Amino acid sequence: MKLFSRLAAASLCVAVAFPVWAQQERVIRFGHLNNTDHPVSFGVKRFSELLATKSGGKMKVQEFPANQLGNEQQQQSALQGGVQQMYSPATTSLAGIVKEFGVVDFPFAVSTFDQADALLDGPLGKALIDKLPEKGLVSLGYWDLGFRNVTNSKHPINKPEDLAGLKIRVIPNPVFLDTFKAFKANPVPMPFAELYGALESKAVDGQENPFAVILSNKFYEVQKFVSATNHVYAANIILVSKKFWDTLTPAEQKWMQEAANESRSYQRQVSRAAAQKSVGELQAKGAQFNVVSPAEQTRMRQIAQPVIEKFAAQYDPALVKLYNSELARIRK
C-alpha cells in the first residue's frame, strides 16, 4: 500500500511538472522584404531576443530578410495558409484584404512621428487590427517605416507639376495609384522585389520609399534625384499567422505580445535615427537631394484631397468617423 502511495505521489509530481518540462520548442519563420541593415531587420532581431528570454529559449525566431520567402503577396498568403509564422510588411500591402487599411496611406494625413504613433497606437490602429483575424492574420502592433519620399532619374521634384509624366513605381494599392494619378504621374504597381531591376533598366523613371529603404537597397546607384516630399507616413505591421497563433498556449501568446510591445519603441528609435542619417549618406553616394517647400506641400495636399474623399466614401463609415476624430485629436 505504501509502495502504491509513493508511486501515486510520484505520478502526481510528474503530471504537475509535465506542462513546463514538455513545452515544445517553437520555431518561428519571420519574413520581411528588407535587407539585414534595415531598421525592420533590427526590430526582428530585438523581438527575437526578447521572445527567447521570455520563453526560456523555447520560442526561437528564424529571420528571413530580403524577400527570401517571397514577395508581399506570397508571404501574406503563406501566413494565411499557416506555412509561414510571421511577417512584417508595410500596412499598405493589407489594403487588398482589408480595404480600410487604406486610411493609413491617405496622403499628408500626419506631419510628425508623434502624430503617426498616436494614430496607430490608439483606437484607430486597434480597430484596423481587429479586422485581421477573419482574414487569417493576427497583428501584434506597428513598427516604423518612415515618411515616404520620391526618387527618380529625370529631375528634382520641387512642385507637384514636376511629377507629371514620370513613370513612378508604387505599391500595388489603390490609394497610391490614385494619389500619383492626381499628380499626373504614371504610377506603375510592382512588387518590391522587382523594383531595382526596373529602375536600372529604365522600365520606370522613379519610385517612392522612406530614406532608409532607398539607401539600404542602393537605389542611389540607379536614381540621381532624391526629393523629400514626405507625402505619406508608412508603418510596418507585425503579423502572425492565425493558424499558428491558435496553436499557442495563452502564455506563449502573452510572451509574443509582450516582446512585440517592448521591441516597438526600440525599432522606432532606430528607424528614425537611420532615416536622418540616410539623407547624408545618400548625398555622399552622389544623390542630388532637395526638400519640397511647405507651400508646395500644401499644394500637393490640396491636389490629393479628392483622392482621400473618394476612398473614404468606400470604407466602413464607422471606421472613417473614428479616423477623422482621431486625426482631430492628434493634431491639437
Side-chain angles (χ1 to χ4, degrees):
M1 191 70 181
K2 285 182 179 179
L3 176 60
F4 176 79
S5 299
R6 284 199 298 271
L7 287 170
S11 298
L12 181 61
C13 289
V14 170
V16 169
F18 184 80
V20 176
W21 169 76
Q23 181 199 324
Q24 66 184 98
E25 286 196 355
R26 306 278 191 183
V27 178
I28 297 170
R29 288 155 56 87
F30 196 146
H32 60 91
L33 308 182
N34 302 100
N35 296 326
T36 52
D37 63 350
H38 188 274
V40 166
S41 180
F42 298 148
V44 173
K45 291 178 178 68
R46 177 56 64 93
F47 172 82
S48 173
E49 292 164 2
L50 289 164
L51 186 59
T53 299
K54 291 175 186 296
S55 67
K58 292 289 186 179
M59 301 186 80
K60 296 180 171 66
V61 175
Q62 290 182 348
E63 180 186 14
F64 291 86
N67 302 281
Q68 287 179 14
L69 297 180
N71 64 28
E72 297 98 319
Q73 186 56 53
Q74 289 166 334
Q75 292 199 53
Q76 180 179 292
S77 297
L79 254 70
Q80 290 171 306
V83 178
Q84 182 177 328
Q85 289 75 41
M86 292 188 73
Y87 172 42
S88 184
T91 58
T92 308
S93 65
L94 291 173
I97 58 168
V98 176
K99 61 183 178 181
E100 284 79 11
F101 266 95
V103 300
V104 182
D105 301 319
F106 282 173
F108 304 103
V110 298
S111 57
T112 68
F113 291 124
D114 286 345
Q115 287 181 351
D117 292 347
L119 188 67
L120 292 172
D121 295 344
L124 177 79
K126 184 180 184 306
L128 289 169
I129 282 173
D130 287 347
K131 290 180 175 287
L132 288 172
E134 66 185 50
K135 304 296 183 180
L137 302 170
V138 171
S139 173
L140 304 181
Y142 302 92
W143 281 343
D144 179 79
L145 192 54
F147 283 93
R148 301 181 77 93
N149 302 281
V150 174
T151 73
N152 80 99
S153 58
K154 300 288 188 182
H155 52 246
I157 307 300
N158 287 298
K159 56 187 184 298
E161 289 80 5
D162 292 334
L163 286 162
L166 289 180
K167 287 184 286 186
I168 302 288
R169 178 269 177 180
V170 297
I171 293 172
N173 171 296
V175 175
F176 274 73
L177 283 164
D178 279 26
T179 297
F180 279 86
K181 283 177 183 174
F183 296 136
K184 295 185 167 53
N186 179 13
V188 181
M190 180 186 297
F192 185 76
E194 299 172 16
L195 179 51
Y196 186 96
L199 294 171
E200 187 176 32
S201 68
K202 300 290 195 293
V204 293
D205 301 315
Q207 60 86 50
E208 47 83 51
N209 258 301
F211 292 132
V213 175
I214 295 166
L215 179 66
S216 177
N217 290 276
K218 300 184 178 181
F219 292 156
Y220 55 81
E221 294 177 344
V222 287
Q223 298 277 272
K224 181 176 180 180
F225 302 98
V226 178
S227 302
T229 51
N230 289 316
H231 52 277
V232 69
Y233 174 77
N236 265 50
I237 187 165
I238 308 168
L239 296 178
V240 185
S241 163
K242 187 173 187 298
K243 284 188 175 180
F244 172 69
W245 183 257
D246 290 345
T247 68
L248 301 178
T249 66
E252 288 171 328
Q253 291 178 350
K254 181 170 177 282
W255 295 333
M256 287 187 67
Q257 185 64 70
E258 287 175 352
N261 292 346
E262 292 169 27
S263 66
R264 182 176 59 199
S265 59
Y266 166 80
Q267 192 278 337
R268 285 175 175 171
Q269 182 182 356
V270 168
S271 182
R272 288 158 191 179
Q276 195 170 16
K277 186 180 177 187
S278 293
V279 173
E281 293 191 30
L282 286 166
Q283 289 175 297
K285 301 286 188 185
Q288 186 174 318
F289 176 76
N290 73 285
V291 176
V292 178
S293 71
E296 292 298 339
Q297 275 204 337
T298 298
R299 288 187 61 226
M300 292 178 82
R301 186 182 301 114
Q302 291 167 347
I303 292 168
Q305 186 59 34
V307 176
I308 295 172
E309 293 168 2
K310 170 188 170 180
F311 284 97
Q314 299 174 15
Y315 296 160
D316 177 356
L319 194 134
V320 173
K321 183 179 179 181
L322 175 61
Y323 171 78
N324 288 325
S325 66
E326 283 293 285
L327 273 190
R329 175 180 70 84
I330 67 176
R331 285 172 174 171
K332 284 181 181 176

